[in-house]
Coordinates of all heavy atoms in Angstrom, one line a residue:
G1 N -3.9 108.3 -194.0 CA -4.1 107.7 -195.3 C -5.5 108.1 -195.8 O -6.3 108.8 -195.2
D2 N -5.7 107.7 -197.0 CA -6.9 108.0 -197.7 C -8.1 107.2 -197.2 O -7.9 106.0 -196.9 CB -6.9 107.8 -199.2 CG -5.8 108.8 -199.8 OD1 -5.7 109.9 -199.3 OD2 -5.2 108.4 -200.8
I3 N -9.3 107.7 -197.2 CA -10.5 107.0 -196.9 C -11.3 106.8 -198.2 O -11.5 107.7 -198.9 CB -11.3 107.7 -195.9 CG1 -10.6 107.8 -194.5 CG2 -12.6 107.1 -195.7 CD1 -11.3 108.5 -193.4
V4 N -11.8 105.5 -198.4 CA -12.5 105.2 -199.5 C -13.9 104.8 -199.1 O -14.1 104.0 -198.2 CB -11.9 104.0 -200.4 CG1 -12.8 103.7 -201.6 CG2 -10.5 104.5 -200.8
L5 N -14.9 105.4 -199.6 CA -16.3 105.1 -199.3 C -17.0 104.6 -200.6 O -17.1 105.3 -201.5 CB -17.0 106.2 -198.7 CG -18.5 106.0 -198.4 CD1 -18.7 104.9 -197.3 CD2 -19.1 107.3 -197.9
L6 N -17.6 103.4 -200.5 CA -18.3 102.9 -201.7 C -19.8 102.8 -201.2 O -20.1 102.3 -200.1 CB -17.9 101.5 -202.1 CG -16.4 101.4 -202.5 CD1 -16.0 99.9 -202.7 CD2 -16.1 102.2 -203.7
A7 N -20.7 103.3 -202.0 CA -22.1 103.3 -201.6 C -23.0 103.0 -202.8 O -22.6 103.4 -203.9 CB -22.5 104.7 -200.9
K8 N -24.1 102.4 -202.5 CA -25.2 102.1 -203.5 C -26.4 102.8 -203.2 O -26.8 102.9 -202.0 CB -25.4 100.6 -203.7 CG -24.3 99.7 -204.2 CD -24.6 98.3 -204.2 CE -23.4 97.4 -204.6 NZ -23.8 96.0 -204.6
P9 N -27.1 103.3 -204.1 CA -28.4 103.9 -203.8 C -29.4 103.0 -203.1 O -29.5 101.8 -203.6 CB -28.9 104.5 -205.1 CG -27.8 104.3 -206.1 CD -26.9 103.3 -205.5
V10 N -30.2 103.5 -202.2 CA -31.3 102.8 -201.5 C -32.4 103.7 -201.6 O -32.4 104.8 -201.1 CB -30.9 102.3 -200.1 CG1 -32.1 101.6 -199.4 CG2 -29.7 101.4 -200.1
T11 N -33.6 103.2 -202.2 CA -34.7 104.1 -202.3 C -35.8 103.6 -201.3 O -36.1 102.4 -201.3 CB -35.3 104.1 -203.7 OG1 -34.3 104.6 -204.6 CG2 -36.5 105.0 -203.7
L12 N -36.3 104.5 -200.4 CA -37.2 104.2 -199.5 C -38.5 104.9 -199.8 O -38.6 106.0 -200.2 CB -36.9 104.6 -198.1 CG -35.7 103.9 -197.5 CD1 -35.3 104.6 -196.1 CD2 -35.9 102.5 -197.2
T13 N -39.7 104.2 -199.7 CA -41.0 104.9 -199.9 C -41.6 104.9 -198.5 O -41.2 104.3 -197.5 CB -41.8 104.1 -200.9 OG1 -42.0 102.7 -200.5 CG2 -41.2 104.2 -202.3
E14 N -42.8 105.5 -198.5 CA -43.5 105.8 -197.2 C -43.7 104.5 -196.4 O -44.1 103.5 -196.9 CB -44.9 106.3 -197.6 CG -45.6 106.9 -196.4 CD -46.9 107.6 -196.9 OE1 -46.8 108.3 -197.9 OE2 -47.9 107.4 -196.3
G15 N -43.2 104.5 -195.1 CA -43.3 103.4 -194.2 C -42.2 102.3 -194.4 O -42.2 101.4 -193.5
D16 N -41.3 102.5 -195.2 CA -40.2 101.5 -195.5 C -39.1 101.6 -194.4 O -38.9 102.7 -193.8 CB -39.6 101.6 -196.8 CG -40.4 101.0 -197.9 OD1 -41.4 100.3 -197.6 OD2 -40.0 101.2 -199.0
R17 N -38.4 100.6 -194.2 CA -37.2 100.5 -193.3 C -36.2 99.7 -194.0 O -36.6 98.6 -194.6 CB -37.6 99.9 -192.0 CG -36.3 99.6 -191.1 CD -36.7 98.7 -189.9 NE -37.5 99.4 -189.0 CZ -37.1 100.1 -188.0 NH1 -35.8 100.2 -187.8 NH2 -38.0 100.8 -187.2
V18 N -35.0 100.2 -194.1 CA -33.9 99.3 -194.7 C -32.8 99.3 -193.8 O -32.4 100.3 -193.1 CB -33.4 99.9 -196.1 CG1 -32.8 101.2 -195.9 CG2 -32.6 98.9 -196.8
T19 N -32.3 98.1 -193.5 CA -31.1 97.8 -192.7 C -29.9 98.0 -193.5 O -29.8 97.4 -194.6 CB -31.2 96.4 -192.1 OG1 -32.3 96.3 -191.2 CG2 -29.9 96.2 -191.2
L20 N -29.0 98.9 -193.1 CA -27.7 99.1 -193.8 C -26.8 97.9 -193.6 O -26.6 97.4 -192.6 CB -27.0 100.3 -193.3 CG -27.9 101.6 -193.3 CD1 -27.0 102.8 -192.9 CD2 -28.4 101.9 -194.7
T21 N -26.3 97.4 -194.8 CA -25.4 96.3 -194.8 C -24.1 96.8 -195.6 O -24.0 97.9 -196.1 CB -25.9 95.1 -195.6 OG1 -26.1 95.5 -196.9 CG2 -27.2 94.7 -194.9
T22 N -23.1 96.0 -195.6 CA -21.8 96.4 -196.3 C -22.1 96.4 -197.8 O -21.2 96.9 -198.5 CB -20.7 95.4 -196.0 OG1 -21.1 94.1 -196.2 CG2 -20.3 95.6 -194.5
D23 N -23.3 96.0 -198.3 CA -23.6 96.2 -199.7 C -24.0 97.6 -200.0 O -23.9 98.1 -201.1 CB -24.8 95.3 -200.1 CG -24.4 93.9 -200.1 OD1 -23.2 93.5 -200.2 OD2 -25.3 93.0 -200.1
V24 N -24.3 98.4 -198.9 CA -24.8 99.8 -199.1 C -23.6 100.7 -198.8 O -23.0 101.2 -199.7 CB -26.0 100.1 -198.3 CG1 -26.5 101.5 -198.5 CG2 -27.2 99.1 -198.6
P25 N -23.3 101.0 -197.5 CA -22.1 101.8 -197.3 C -21.0 100.9 -196.8 O -21.1 100.0 -195.9 CB -22.5 102.8 -196.2 CG -23.5 102.0 -195.4 CD -24.1 100.9 -196.4
V26 N -19.8 101.0 -197.4 CA -18.6 100.2 -196.8 C -17.4 101.2 -197.0 O -17.4 101.8 -198.1 CB -18.4 98.8 -197.5 CG1 -18.1 98.9 -198.9 CG2 -17.3 98.1 -196.7
A27 N -16.6 101.3 -196.0 CA -15.5 102.2 -196.1 C -14.2 101.5 -195.7 O -14.2 100.5 -194.9 CB -15.8 103.5 -195.3
T28 N -13.1 102.0 -196.2 CA -11.8 101.5 -195.7 C -10.9 102.7 -195.6 O -11.1 103.7 -196.3 CB -11.2 100.5 -196.7 OG1 -11.0 101.1 -197.9 CG2 -12.1 99.3 -196.8
D29 N -9.9 102.6 -194.8 CA -8.9 103.8 -194.6 C -7.5 103.4 -194.7 O -6.7 104.1 -194.4 CB -9.2 104.5 -193.4 CG -8.9 103.7 -192.1 OD1 -8.6 102.5 -192.2 OD2 -8.9 104.3 -191.0
G30 N -7.4 102.1 -195.2 CA -5.9 101.6 -195.4 C -5.3 101.0 -194.1 O -4.1 100.6 -194.1
T31 N -6.1 101.1 -193.0 CA -5.5 100.4 -191.8 C -6.0 99.0 -191.6 O -6.9 98.5 -192.5 CB -6.0 101.2 -190.5 OG1 -7.4 101.0 -190.3 CG2 -5.7 102.7 -190.6
S32 N -5.6 98.3 -190.7 CA -6.0 96.9 -190.5 C -7.3 96.9 -189.6 O -7.7 95.8 -189.2 CB -4.9 96.0 -189.9 OG -4.6 96.6 -188.6
K33 N -7.9 98.0 -189.2 CA -9.0 98.0 -188.3 C -10.2 98.9 -189.0 O -10.6 99.8 -188.4 CB -8.7 98.7 -187.0 CG -7.6 97.8 -186.3 CD -7.4 98.2 -184.9 CE -6.2 97.5 -184.3 NZ -6.7 96.2 -183.7
P34 N -10.8 98.4 -190.0 CA -11.9 99.1 -190.6 C -13.2 99.1 -189.7 O -14.0 100.0 -189.9 CB -12.2 98.4 -192.0 CG -11.6 97.0 -191.8 CD -10.5 97.2 -190.8
E35 N -13.3 98.2 -188.8 CA -14.4 98.2 -187.9 C -14.5 99.4 -187.0 O -15.5 99.7 -186.4 CB -14.5 96.9 -187.1 CG -13.4 96.7 -186.1 CD -12.1 96.2 -186.6 OE1 -11.9 96.0 -187.8 OE2 -11.1 95.9 -185.8
K36 N -13.4 100.1 -186.9 CA -13.3 101.3 -186.0 C -13.7 102.5 -186.7 O -13.8 103.6 -186.1 CB -12.0 101.4 -185.4 CG -11.7 100.3 -184.4 CD -10.5 100.6 -183.5 CE -10.3 99.5 -182.5 NZ -9.4 99.9 -181.5
L37 N -14.0 102.5 -188.0 CA -14.4 103.7 -188.7 C -15.7 104.2 -188.3 O -16.6 103.4 -188.0 CB -14.5 103.4 -190.3 CG -13.2 103.2 -191.0 CD1 -13.4 102.8 -192.4 CD2 -12.3 104.5 -191.0
L38 N -15.9 105.5 -188.1 CA -17.1 106.1 -187.7 C -17.7 106.9 -188.7 O -17.1 107.7 -189.4 CB -16.7 107.1 -186.5 CG -17.8 107.8 -185.8 CD1 -18.7 106.9 -185.0 CD2 -17.3 108.9 -184.9
Y39 N -19.0 106.6 -188.9 CA -19.8 107.4 -189.9 C -20.5 108.5 -189.1 O -21.1 108.2 -188.0 CB -20.9 106.6 -190.6 CG -20.4 105.5 -191.5 CD1 -20.1 104.2 -191.0 CD2 -20.4 105.7 -192.9 CE1 -19.6 103.3 -191.9 CE2 -19.9 104.8 -193.8 CZ -19.5 103.5 -193.3 OH -19.2 102.5 -194.1
A40 N -20.5 109.7 -189.6 CA -21.3 110.8 -189.0 C -22.5 111.2 -189.9 O -22.2 111.3 -191.1 CB -20.4 112.0 -188.8
V41 N -23.6 111.3 -189.4 CA -24.8 111.7 -190.2 C -24.9 113.2 -190.2 O -25.3 113.8 -189.2 CB -26.1 111.1 -189.6 CG1 -27.3 111.5 -190.4 CG2 -25.9 109.6 -189.5
S42 N -24.3 113.8 -191.2 CA -24.3 115.3 -191.2 C -25.5 115.9 -191.8 O -25.9 117.0 -191.6 CB -23.1 115.8 -192.0 OG -23.0 115.2 -193.3
L43 N -26.2 115.1 -192.7 CA -27.4 115.5 -193.3 C -28.5 114.4 -193.1 O -28.5 113.5 -194.0 CB -27.2 115.9 -194.7 CG -28.4 116.4 -195.6 CD1 -28.9 117.7 -194.9 CD2 -28.0 116.7 -197.0
P44 N -29.3 114.4 -192.1 CA -30.2 113.3 -191.8 C -31.3 113.3 -192.9 O -31.5 114.3 -193.5 CB -30.8 113.6 -190.5 CG -30.5 115.0 -190.2 CD -29.4 115.4 -191.1
P45 N -31.9 112.1 -193.1 CA -33.0 112.1 -194.1 C -34.1 113.1 -193.8 O -34.4 113.3 -192.6 CB -33.6 110.6 -194.0 CG -32.5 109.8 -193.3 CD -31.7 110.8 -192.4
V46 N -34.7 113.7 -194.8 CA -35.7 114.7 -194.6 C -37.0 114.1 -194.1 O -37.7 114.6 -193.3 CB -36.0 115.5 -196.0 CG1 -37.2 116.4 -195.8 CG2 -34.8 116.1 -196.4
H47 N -37.3 112.9 -194.5 CA -38.6 112.2 -194.2 C -38.4 110.9 -193.5 O -38.9 109.8 -193.8 CB -39.5 111.9 -195.4 CG -39.8 113.2 -196.1 ND1 -40.7 114.1 -195.6 CD2 -39.4 113.7 -197.3 CE1 -40.9 115.1 -196.5 NE2 -40.0 115.0 -197.5
G48 N -37.6 111.0 -192.4 CA -37.3 109.8 -191.6 C -36.0 110.0 -190.8 O -35.6 111.1 -190.5
Q49 N -35.3 108.9 -190.4 CA -34.2 109.0 -189.6 C -33.3 107.7 -189.6 O -33.8 106.7 -190.1 CB -34.5 109.2 -188.2 CG -35.5 108.0 -187.6 CD -36.1 108.5 -186.3 OE1 -36.3 109.7 -186.0 NE2 -36.4 107.5 -185.5
I50 N -32.1 107.9 -189.3 CA -31.2 106.7 -189.1 C -31.3 106.4 -187.7 O -31.2 107.2 -186.8 CB -29.7 107.2 -189.5 CG1 -29.7 107.8 -190.9 CG2 -28.8 105.9 -189.4 CD1 -30.1 106.9 -192.0
E51 N -31.5 105.0 -187.4 CA -31.6 104.6 -186.1 C -30.9 103.2 -185.8 O -30.6 102.5 -186.8 CB -33.0 104.5 -185.6 CG -34.0 103.8 -186.5 CD -35.4 103.9 -186.0 OE1 -36.0 105.0 -185.8 OE2 -36.0 102.9 -185.9
H52 N -30.5 103.0 -184.6 CA -29.9 101.7 -184.2 C -31.0 100.8 -183.9 O -32.0 101.1 -183.2 CB -29.0 101.9 -183.0 CG -28.0 100.8 -182.7 ND1 -28.5 99.6 -182.1 CD2 -26.8 100.6 -182.9 CE1 -27.6 98.8 -181.9 NE2 -26.4 99.4 -182.5
I53 N -30.9 99.5 -184.4 CA -32.1 98.6 -184.2 C -32.4 98.3 -182.8 O -33.5 97.9 -182.5 CB -31.9 97.3 -185.1 CG1 -30.7 96.5 -184.6 CG2 -31.8 97.6 -186.6 CD1 -30.7 95.1 -185.1
N54 N -31.4 98.5 -181.9 CA -31.7 98.2 -180.5 C -32.5 99.3 -179.8 O -32.9 99.2 -178.7 CB -30.4 97.9 -179.7 CG -29.7 96.7 -180.1 OD1 -30.3 95.8 -180.7 ND2 -28.5 96.5 -179.7
Y55 N -32.6 100.5 -180.5 CA -33.2 101.6 -180.0 C -34.1 102.2 -181.0 O -34.0 103.4 -181.5 CB -32.2 102.7 -179.5 CG -31.2 102.2 -178.5 CD1 -30.0 101.8 -178.9 CD2 -31.6 102.0 -177.2 CE1 -29.0 101.3 -178.1 CE2 -30.7 101.5 -176.3 CZ -29.4 101.1 -176.7 OH -28.5 100.6 -175.8
P56 N -35.2 101.5 -181.4 CA -36.1 101.9 -182.4 C -36.8 103.3 -182.1 O -37.1 103.4 -180.9 CB -37.2 100.8 -182.6 CG -37.0 100.0 -181.4 CD -35.6 100.2 -180.9
G57 N -36.9 104.1 -183.0 CA -37.6 105.4 -182.8 C -36.7 106.5 -182.3 O -37.0 107.6 -182.2
V58 N -35.4 106.1 -182.0 CA -34.5 107.1 -181.6 C -33.4 107.4 -182.7 O -32.7 106.5 -183.0 CB -33.7 106.6 -180.3 CG1 -32.7 107.7 -179.9 CG2 -34.7 106.3 -179.2
P59 N -33.4 108.6 -183.2 CA -32.4 109.0 -184.3 C -31.0 109.0 -183.7 O -30.8 109.3 -182.6 CB -32.9 110.3 -184.8 CG -33.7 110.9 -183.7 CD -34.3 109.8 -182.9
I60 N -30.1 108.5 -184.6 CA -28.7 108.6 -184.2 C -28.0 109.5 -185.2 O -28.4 109.7 -186.3 CB -28.0 107.2 -184.2 CG1 -28.1 106.5 -185.6 CG2 -28.6 106.3 -183.1 CD1 -27.4 105.2 -185.7
S61 N -26.8 110.1 -184.7 CA -26.1 111.0 -185.5 C -24.7 110.4 -185.9 O -24.0 111.0 -186.7 CB -25.9 112.3 -184.7 OG -25.1 112.1 -183.6
S62 N -24.4 109.2 -185.4 CA -23.2 108.5 -185.9 C -23.3 107.0 -185.6 O -24.2 106.6 -184.8 CB -22.0 109.1 -185.1 OG -22.0 108.8 -183.7
Y63 N -22.6 106.3 -186.3 CA -22.5 104.8 -186.0 C -21.1 104.4 -186.6 O -20.5 105.0 -187.4 CB -23.7 104.1 -186.7 CG -23.9 104.4 -188.2 CD1 -23.3 103.6 -189.1 CD2 -24.6 105.4 -188.6 CE1 -23.4 103.8 -190.5 CE2 -24.8 105.7 -190.0 CZ -24.2 104.9 -190.9 OH -24.3 105.2 -192.2
R64 N -20.8 103.1 -186.2 CA -19.5 102.6 -186.6 C -19.7 101.5 -187.8 O -20.7 101.0 -187.9 CB -18.8 101.9 -185.4 CG -18.5 102.9 -184.3 CD -17.4 102.3 -183.4 NE -17.0 103.3 -182.4 CZ -16.1 104.3 -182.7 NH1 -15.5 104.3 -183.9 NH2 -15.8 105.1 -181.7
Q65 N -18.6 101.3 -188.5 CA -18.6 100.3 -189.5 C -18.9 99.0 -188.9 O -19.7 98.2 -189.6 CB -17.2 100.2 -190.2 CG -17.0 99.2 -191.2 CD -17.7 99.6 -192.6 OE1 -18.1 100.7 -192.8 NE2 -17.9 98.6 -193.5
L66 N -18.5 98.7 -187.7 CA -18.8 97.4 -187.0 C -20.4 97.3 -186.9 O -20.9 96.1 -187.0 CB -18.2 97.3 -185.7 CG -18.3 96.0 -184.9 CD1 -17.8 94.9 -185.8 CD2 -17.6 96.1 -183.6
D67 N -21.1 98.4 -186.6 CA -22.5 98.3 -186.6 C -23.2 97.9 -187.9 O -24.2 97.3 -188.0 CB -23.2 99.7 -186.1 CG -22.7 100.1 -184.8 OD1 -22.7 99.2 -183.9 OD2 -22.5 101.3 -184.5
V68 N -22.6 98.5 -189.0 CA -23.1 98.1 -190.4 C -22.9 96.6 -190.6 O -23.7 95.9 -191.1 CB -22.4 99.0 -191.4 CG1 -22.8 98.6 -192.8 CG2 -22.7 100.5 -191.2
V69 N -21.7 96.1 -190.3 CA -21.3 94.7 -190.5 C -22.3 93.8 -189.7 O -22.7 92.8 -190.2 CB -19.9 94.4 -190.1 CG1 -19.6 92.9 -190.1 CG2 -18.8 95.2 -191.0
A70 N -22.7 94.2 -188.5 CA -23.6 93.5 -187.6 C -25.1 93.7 -188.0 O -25.9 93.2 -187.4 CB -23.3 93.9 -186.2
Q71 N -25.3 94.6 -189.0 CA -26.6 94.9 -189.5 C -27.5 95.5 -188.4 O -28.6 95.1 -188.1 CB -27.3 93.8 -190.2 CG -26.6 93.3 -191.4 CD -27.3 92.2 -192.2 OE1 -28.3 91.7 -191.7 NE2 -26.6 91.7 -193.2
K72 N -27.0 96.5 -187.6 CA -27.6 97.1 -186.5 C -28.1 98.5 -186.8 O -28.5 99.2 -185.9 CB -26.7 97.1 -185.3 CG -26.3 95.7 -184.9 CD -26.4 95.5 -183.4 CE -26.1 94.1 -183.0 NZ -27.1 93.5 -182.2
V73 N -27.9 99.0 -188.0 CA -28.3 100.4 -188.4 C -29.4 100.4 -189.5 O -29.2 99.7 -190.5 CB -27.1 101.2 -188.8 CG1 -27.5 102.6 -189.2 CG2 -26.0 101.2 -187.7
S74 N -30.4 101.1 -189.3 CA -31.5 101.2 -190.3 C -31.8 102.6 -190.6 O -31.7 103.6 -189.9 CB -32.8 100.6 -189.7 OG -32.6 99.3 -189.5
D75 N -32.3 102.8 -191.9 CA -32.8 104.1 -192.3 C -34.4 103.8 -192.4 O -34.8 102.9 -193.0 CB -32.3 104.4 -193.8 CG -32.8 105.7 -194.3 OD1 -33.6 106.4 -193.6 OD2 -32.5 106.0 -195.4
V76 N -35.1 104.7 -191.7 CA -36.5 104.5 -191.5 C -37.3 105.7 -192.1 O -37.0 106.8 -191.7 CB -36.9 104.3 -190.0 CG1 -38.4 104.1 -189.8 CG2 -36.1 103.2 -189.4
H77 N -38.1 105.5 -193.0 CA -39.0 106.5 -193.6 C -40.1 106.8 -192.6 O -40.7 105.9 -191.9 CB -39.6 106.0 -194.9 CG -40.1 107.2 -195.7 ND1 -41.3 107.8 -195.4 CD2 -39.6 107.8 -196.8 CE1 -41.6 108.7 -196.3 NE2 -40.5 108.7 -197.1
D78 N -40.5 108.0 -192.3 CA -41.5 108.4 -191.3 C -42.9 108.4 -191.6 O -43.7 108.8 -190.8 CB -41.1 109.8 -190.7 CG -41.4 110.9 -191.7 OD1 -41.9 110.6 -192.8 OD2 -41.0 112.0 -191.4
N79 N -43.3 107.8 -192.6 CA -44.7 107.7 -193.0 C -45.4 109.0 -193.3 O -46.6 109.1 -193.3 CB -45.5 106.9 -192.0 CG -45.1 105.5 -191.9 OD1 -44.8 104.9 -192.9 ND2 -45.1 104.9 -190.8
S80 N -44.7 110.1 -193.5 CA -45.3 111.4 -193.7 C -46.0 111.3 -195.1 O -45.5 110.9 -196.1 CB -44.4 112.5 -193.6 OG -43.3 112.4 -194.6
H81 N -47.2 111.8 -195.1 CA -48.0 111.8 -196.3 C -47.5 112.8 -197.3 O -47.1 113.9 -197.0 CB -49.5 112.1 -196.0 CG -50.1 111.0 -195.2 ND1 -50.3 109.7 -195.7 CD2 -50.4 111.0 -193.9 CE1 -50.8 109.0 -194.7 NE2 -50.9 109.7 -193.6
G82 N -47.4 112.4 -198.6 CA -47.0 113.3 -199.6 C -45.5 113.5 -199.6 O -44.9 114.2 -200.4
A83 N -44.8 112.7 -198.8 CA -43.3 112.8 -198.8 C -42.7 112.2 -200.1 O -41.5 112.6 -200.4 CB -42.7 112.1 -197.5
G84 N -43.3 111.2 -200.7 CA -42.7 110.7 -201.9 C -41.6 109.7 -201.6 O -41.5 109.2 -200.5
K85 N -40.7 109.6 -202.5 CA -39.5 108.8 -202.3 C -38.3 109.6 -201.8 O -38.2 110.7 -202.2 CB -39.2 108.0 -203.6 CG -40.2 107.0 -204.0 CD -39.8 106.3 -205.2 CE -40.8 105.2 -205.6 NZ -40.3 104.4 -206.8
E86 N -37.5 108.9 -201.1 CA -36.3 109.6 -200.6 C -35.1 108.6 -200.7 O -35.3 107.4 -200.5 CB -36.5 110.0 -199.1 CG -35.3 110.7 -198.6 CD -35.6 111.2 -197.2 OE1 -36.0 110.4 -196.3 OE2 -35.4 112.5 -197.0
S87 N -34.0 109.1 -201.1 CA -32.8 108.2 -201.3 C -31.7 108.5 -200.3 O -31.6 109.6 -199.9 CB -32.2 108.3 -202.7 OG -33.2 107.9 -203.7
L88 N -31.2 107.4 -199.7 CA -30.0 107.6 -198.8 C -28.8 107.2 -199.6 O -28.7 106.2 -200.4 CB -30.1 106.5 -197.7 CG -28.9 106.4 -196.8 CD1 -28.7 107.7 -196.0 CD2 -29.1 105.2 -195.8
R89 N -27.8 108.1 -199.7 CA -26.6 108.0 -200.5 C -25.5 108.1 -199.6 O -25.4 108.8 -198.7 CB -26.6 109.1 -201.5 CG -27.7 108.9 -202.6 CD -27.7 110.0 -203.5 NE -28.9 110.0 -204.3 CZ -28.9 109.8 -205.6 NH1 -27.9 109.6 -206.3 NH2 -30.1 109.8 -206.2

């Protein structure tokens, strides 16, 4: 089946952290088990990283929809000077 991904822009500035919720990325694939959907981080943030809240400081390359529902995934800006704003889409 088709996969549908709805996303809203989130803007992070230096030192910010945003926890991903279903208001930001939410996906469905037409099955009765959307919690099993896997997100792959193919292009990580330039000035930060995506991390699981249980493992701060450790970048992750994938996470499940269930992690988003449980608010266990964050986008963290790395405090690099002159980095400006960065958006996760």
Side-chain angles (χ1 to χ4, degrees):
D2 295 329
I3 295 177
V4 176
L5 176 64
L6 303 173
K8 293 181 184 177
V10 175
T11 302
L12 296 174
T13 56
E14 196 172 315
D16 283 349
R17 168 189 295 270
V18 66
T19 300
L20 303 185
T21 67
T22 54
D23 289 340
V24 180
V26 63
T28 61
D29 68 351
T31 70
S32 61
K33 299 193 183 271
E35 68 276 3
K36 292 192 175 195
L37 287 174
L38 179 69
Y39 291 87
V41 180
S42 58
L43 184 60
V46 175
H47 299 289
Q49 60 193 23
I50 306 297
E51 48 185 57
H52 194 281
I53 63 166
N54 291 344
Y55 305 100
V58 179
I60 58 174
S61 60
S62 65
Y63 55 92
R64 297 198 175 278
Q65 179 76 13
L66 188 58
D67 296 323
V68 174
V69 171
Q71 298 183 1
K72 300 227 178 228
V73 179
S74 293
D75 183 0
V76 182
H77 196 285
D78 69 2
N79 293 326
S80 59
H81 296 290
K85 292 185 177 181
E86 181 171 56
S87 295
L88 170 67
R89 296 174 191 245

